[in-house]
Amino acid sequence: MESPTPQPARPRGNSSDDARDARLRFRNFAQHQIRQDFKEEAQKKCSTEIRNFAQCAKEKGLMVIFSCRSYNRAITECMFRYNSDEAFAKYLKDNPQLLPEKNINH
């Protein structure tokens, strides 16, 4: 039986490539944190809809799927209004200082 031939070691990137990758990962992390903050704000803005759905779900139990559709739809519409990709892009455009701020602070 023939033994497998060893694979040559993959060349390692130079230090500038490694540093660039680290910066990109850090920038993505910062943008992810901003997105999480943005989502939390949307949830606060939609708290009435969420609370109404929760109350309906508590009252209806297993029938929540059928009985609380209008409340679920209201949550979906509200979250889309405040947490859509378009709303996030506009938020970043209106607040360009946030991304560098997150990079510096986190």
Side-chain angles (χ1 to χ4, degrees):
M1 192 160 156
E2 196 175 303
S3 65
T5 56
Q7 298 292 324
R10 290 184 4 190
R12 294 190 56 138
N14 64 28
S15 62
S16 65
D17 287 343
D18 293 340
R20 179 180 179 276
D21 289 343
R23 284 192 311 273
L24 290 175
R25 283 191 302 269
F26 190 71
R27 183 173 175 84
N28 288 340
F29 175 76
Q31 189 162 0
H32 176 74
Q33 289 298 109
I34 293 169
R35 183 66 187 223
Q36 287 300 109
D37 296 344
F38 185 74
K39 182 177 179 179
E40 288 173 12
E41 285 299 314
Q43 289 172 340
K44 288 178 187 175
K45 291 176 182 176
C46 298
S47 64
T48 301
E49 289 83 354
I50 294 169
R51 196 172 17 259
N52 290 342
F53 177 79
Q55 183 62 35
C56 180
K58 186 188 290 186
E59 292 171 1
K60 302 299 180 178
L62 293 175
M63 295 302 291
V64 66
I65 297 169
F66 306 106
S67 302
C68 303
R69 283 184 181 163
S70 62
Y71 297 110
N72 187 32
R73 196 172 307 117
I75 291 173
T76 302
E77 290 170 2
C78 184
M79 289 299 289
F80 181 76
R81 186 174 338 128
Y82 293 113
N83 193 42
S84 67
D85 290 337
E86 293 82 14
F88 183 62
K90 182 181 182 316
Y91 177 74
L92 287 178
K93 183 179 177 185
D94 293 345
N95 300 287
Q97 76 283 0
L98 288 178
L99 193 55
E101 181 179 307
K102 286 288 185 174
N103 279 336
I104 292 168
N105 292 332
H106 288 86

